[in-house]
Amino acid sequence: RLGRKPDLDPDFNDSFNISYEDLNMQATISHAQKTLYELRDLISTEPEAKAVVKSTLSDHESKTHVWMSLQGITDTGFRTQVIDLPKEFHDFNIGDTVYIKDGQILDWMVNLDGKVYGAYSLRELRKEMSEEEKCNFDKQMGIREYINS
């Protein structure tokens, strides 16, 4: 999925922390929501597009922000499949189908053979990285190029 290379570092998703209280991260959420039409366009015009959306899942004890594989689109939201969860999160399972409304989207990403659209929170994360860290991050994520929108 998405060309990600989890075998390079199985704990990769736990290696950085995103604070959505941060004003820059809040701006990425706003931008992601304002550009959902681009996501819909890419999915409808690119049959090879691999897409994920990030949203918040809640269980009886906590919340987690996770990337979910895009399975279908509607005018007001997305049908997704859970592809990654923290070990301590128990109310959802890998493979569960979850409907996410447009307003619940934190970010989106489409990967077309290493060319990535969206991924606004990842772009923000990269701003704080050294060149070597950026290179390793992009390799881990299967990203060769970020396409501006």
Side-chain angles (χ1 to χ4, degrees):
R1 304 185 255 265
L2 283 181
R4 206 172 133 237
K5 314 244 183 315
D7 53 315
L8 294 177
D9 182 357
D11 296 321
F12 179 71
N13 284 341
D14 298 328
S15 63
F16 47 83
N17 187 21
I18 298 175
S19 170
Y20 285 95
E21 280 71 53
D22 177 82
L23 291 178
N24 291 330
M25 279 300 178
Q26 287 179 14
T28 70
I29 294 168
S30 177
H31 192 68
Q33 290 182 351
K34 289 178 183 174
T35 57
L36 286 174
Y37 71 92
E38 290 180 30
L39 171 60
R40 287 185 169 92
D41 286 348
L42 283 164
I43 294 304
S44 65
T45 60
E46 297 289 346
E48 299 298 314
K50 296 176 181 141
V52 292
V53 296
K54 184 174 244 186
S55 190
T56 304
L57 293 181
S58 299
D59 70 7
H60 60 284
E61 295 178 8
S62 62
K63 293 181 180 180
T64 187
H65 306 296
V66 295
W67 289 101
M68 293 176 272
S69 176
L70 186 62
Q71 303 295 307
I73 58 175
T74 70
D75 291 340
T76 59
F78 303 91
R79 186 172 42 81
T80 68
Q81 184 177 49
V82 177
I83 56 174
D84 194 28
L85 283 173
K87 294 175 183 88
E88 65 279 355
F89 205 79
H90 301 291
D91 283 9
F92 291 89
N93 295 301
I94 303 294
D96 283 355
T97 298
V98 179
Y99 182 78
I100 305 295
K101 295 179 183 178
D102 284 1
Q104 296 172 308
I105 298 293
L106 301 175
D107 200 357
W108 61 269
M109 177 170 61
V110 172
N111 188 327
L112 289 167
D113 196 30
K115 294 181 179 182
V116 169
Y117 299 79
Y120 305 109
S121 62
L122 300 184
R123 295 173 195 239
E124 185 63 30
L125 273 175
R126 290 176 85 254
K127 289 180 182 178
E128 303 300 319
M129 295 179 185
S130 69
E131 288 305 311
E132 180 180 354
E133 289 170 326
K134 287 178 185 177
C135 183
N136 290 335
F137 180 82
D138 292 347
K139 183 178 179 182
Q140 181 72 36
M141 296 298 293
I143 299 171
R144 289 186 298 115
E145 180 181 359
Y146 290 87
I147 305 299
N148 290 329
S149 56

